[in-house]
Amino acid sequence: MGQWLPDEFIRRVTSEYPQHADELLHSLSNEAVTDRTLRCLQGYPPDEIEGYVPGEQVLWHPETTYFKRTSSEKNRPIHAYPGYQAGAWYVQEAAGLIVHHLLDRLRAEGAAMGTILDACAAPGGKTLTLLDVLPEDGLLVASEPMEHRLPLLEATVARSGSDRVLMVQNPAQNWKGFPSYFDGILVDMPCSGEGMFRKHREAAKDWSLAKCASLVTLQDEILDSLYLALRPGGWLIYSTCTFGKEENTGQLLPWIRSGRLQPELWNLPEEWGWVHASELDQRWDPKHGAWWSLPGRTQGEGFFCSVLRKPFDTETTHNTHSGNPQNRQSLAEGLKKQMRLIKNGLSSVPSGFPSPDLAMAYGKKHGRYPRNGTWSVEEGCPVVDLDATLATWYCQGQNLAMGELRNGWNLMTYQGMGLGWMHREGTRFQNHFPKSLRIAR
């Protein structure tokens, strides 16, 4: 067993999960993570990725494939490929993709999806998952409290090309000002991160029982706030990437016993390898849906999830919100009064400049020409499709002096998907791919 795992963590796992401890600790200590899971977003298999060998599909998300990195491309980061920059696929940890299955189950049961809150959204993988189930007139609020994580979230939202996202900076415990507003809430809780020890060994250095206890207190505050923001009859997906009972089942049991939240009565297919919460916590009812992904048992990192509903209050009249312009503007104005509004749909840029995410909204992603204010990508707009080499150069920020570029703004695409803008004025060519996203030469 590797000596880098904290001794207190080893003792707690051995005490709390004796039947799984040996397998779990062995996996965390000795098994290197060499696989990446690449989620196909636009129907394009990520076959452009030289140096990665495709493997099996993720059982609970068939549009995601495990890829193993080979030594020949070990120094090339995944964001250096134009398919990633164009939003054709996204790197997402396999276990967290179980959320897609849970949302599909909710939708099949007729759960409302009109207005959804992603309460701890960065870096944005689960935001993309929520967009998969959001109806055309729906609205998704992606909220992130940490300043340094906002650029990651904003870039992910931009690559989605969606105009149905409001992005805000707001602590997850500060949603009490929107009582009974959201049809559904996903909260990927701040947690002790034990499930990622195998992938990020540095996370183990900051781990302590005292930190776990402080996070339980924070989670209490967050649940109190989100419960008020969830409308009666609405759904809540609670998840963490940690193993400790008190951050997971222990956090939810008081809510269930009091009747304030009701767990969904679901099971997952046995062949997926997920462990039902009742196997790890005797306090948990075997009929109630909650599951752990345990390295060594599941083909993914550590993850916990549960789906709950807020019971209806028959004395209250409920309204289902949607993303129509009137409701959207009203919500945006309300958000600005209580928190920092980062993004309202496709970005607006003054002085006739087309925004970067307007380019991302173009093409095969949506089969339409997006519009934002006075700017629109119409049939007459010059569109230049780049091969993999030119697209890479473009994403590096190189000024492509191409004869087919017309004077004015030109939309640059890769395999029919928008990448960004080039501007030409005579013999002067200027690359407008965002500097913050450019890849190293």
Side-chain angles (χ1 to χ4, degrees):
M1 185 180 298
Q3 295 304 308
W4 57 274
L5 288 173
D7 290 339
E8 285 185 326
F9 171 74
I10 294 173
R11 286 194 291 269
R12 200 200 66 194
V13 169
T14 304
S15 172
E16 289 192 353
Y17 311 129
Q19 71 274 45
H20 296 286
D22 288 346
E23 184 178 35
L24 175 58
L25 291 171
H26 180 272
S27 294
L28 292 177
S29 301
N30 300 310
E31 295 181 7
V33 179
T34 57
D35 290 354
R36 307 294 293 271
T37 44
L38 304 182
R39 178 184 172 201
C40 179
L41 297 175
Q42 308 299 336
Y44 294 103
D47 53 3
E48 69 173 69
I49 310 175
E50 298 176 4
Y52 284 80
V53 179
E56 300 175 352
Q57 292 178 321
V58 177
L59 291 174
W60 47 92
H61 196 280
E63 294 180 358
T64 301
T65 304
Y66 294 99
F67 273 69
K68 186 179 294 290
R69 185 192 291 264
T70 64
S71 58
S72 63
E73 290 282 318
K74 63 181 179 181
N75 295 321
R76 188 175 184 185
I78 204 72
H79 70 270
Y81 296 88
Y84 177 87
Q85 294 293 347
W89 41 268
Y90 184 77
V91 181
Q92 200 164 349
E93 206 287 306
L97 285 163
I98 194 67
V99 171
H100 190 280
H101 173 78
L102 304 180
L103 289 165
D104 275 348
R105 292 282 294 268
L106 282 166
R107 186 167 54 173
E109 292 184 355
M113 300 279 176
T115 306
I116 301 175
L117 171 63
D118 188 355
C120 301
K126 294 180 182 65
T127 307
L128 298 178
T129 301
L130 290 167
L131 281 171
D132 287 343
V133 301
L134 193 71
E136 283 300 316
D137 64 345
L139 189 61
L140 172 60
V141 178
S143 178
E144 171 56 40
M146 308 291 286
E147 176 81 26
H148 71 279
R149 290 167 63 85
L150 290 172
L152 288 172
L153 177 60
E154 191 166 12
T156 303
V157 171
R159 288 192 190 99
S160 76
S162 176
D163 59 359
R164 296 172 292 163
V165 181
L166 287 171
M167 180 180 159
V168 298
Q169 182 182 15
N170 188 46
Q173 61 269 42
N174 288 356
W175 283 99
K176 297 179 181 179
F178 292 84
S180 299
Y181 193 90
F182 294 100
D183 295 320
I185 297 175
L186 168 64
V187 55
D188 193 26
M189 276 287 186
C191 69
S192 52
E194 299 160 359
M196 304 304 288
F197 281 180
R198 182 171 70 161
K199 195 172 181 180
H200 302 296
R201 290 194 175 192
E202 63 274 13
K205 298 177 182 178
D206 296 327
W207 185 92
S208 69
L209 290 176
K211 182 178 180 180
C212 293
S214 68
L215 285 163
V216 168
T217 301
L218 174 61
Q219 292 161 0
D220 285 338
E221 297 172 356
I222 290 173
L223 266 180
D224 284 338
S225 173
L226 298 182
Y227 178 79
L228 292 175
L230 184 64
R231 71 170 180 83
W235 51 267
L236 173 75
I237 296 179
Y238 181 103
S239 68
T240 74
C241 58
T242 202
F243 304 118
K245 293 178 183 178
E246 296 314 306
E247 295 183 60
N248 295 299
T249 48
Q251 190 64 258
L252 297 178
L253 281 168
W255 291 85
I256 295 170
R257 289 169 176 167
S258 68
R260 290 175 293 170
L261 289 174
Q262 298 173 343
E264 289 288 344
L265 310 180
W266 295 347
N267 286 313
L268 298 181
E270 185 176 348
E271 60 269 23
W272 291 2
W274 288 72
V275 178
H276 193 272
S278 61
E279 291 187 38
L280 303 179
D281 191 341
Q282 294 182 351
R283 301 171 296 175
W284 192 263
D285 190 328
K287 298 177 184 178
H288 294 166
W291 308 269
W292 259 285
S293 165
L294 300 181
R297 281 283 303 270
T298 315
Q299 203 172 356
E301 301 309 303
F303 194 75
F304 172 87
C305 59
S306 184
V307 185
L308 308 106
R309 296 270 200 152
K310 184 175 181 178
F312 279 103
D313 176 358
T314 55
E315 297 180 359
T316 305
T317 301
H318 313 298
N319 295 312
T320 299
H321 309 283
S322 70
N324 69 56
Q326 185 175 357
N327 283 339
R328 180 194 189 116
Q329 190 57 34
S330 174
L331 176 57
E333 292 300 322
L335 292 171
K336 284 197 293 186
K337 293 177 181 177
Q338 300 189 37
M339 61 197 70
R340 180 184 172 197
L341 181 63
I342 306 293
K343 185 179 179 67
N344 183 358
L346 298 178
S347 299
S348 297
V349 181
S351 304
F353 184 92
S355 64
D357 52 353
L358 184 65
M360 301 301 300
Y362 169 82
K364 293 181 180 179
K365 292 178 184 176
H366 303 292
R368 60 181 171 82
Y369 295 92
R371 297 175 180 274
N372 185 41
T374 58
W375 248 102
S376 64
V377 182
E378 298 175 339
E379 294 286 354
C381 176
V383 177
V384 180
D385 200 55
L386 306 173
D387 61 23
T389 299
L390 287 174
T392 300
W393 292 350
Y394 173 75
C395 294
Q396 291 172 344
Q398 298 191 44
N399 292 323
L400 305 180
M402 302 172 63
E404 55 264 53
L405 296 179
R406 303 181 197 172
N407 280 327
W409 293 105
N410 294 261
L411 176 63
M412 314 304 284
T413 66
Y414 174 68
Q415 293 187 353
M417 297 171 290
L419 271 176
W421 303 95
M422 284 281 297
H423 189 270
R424 178 177 182 177
E425 187 175 347
T427 59
R428 185 172 180 268
F429 299 83
Q430 188 171 2
N431 186 320
H432 284 266
F433 189 73
K435 292 183 180 179
S436 61
L437 301 179
R438 290 180 182 179
I439 60 181
R441 299 190 185 187

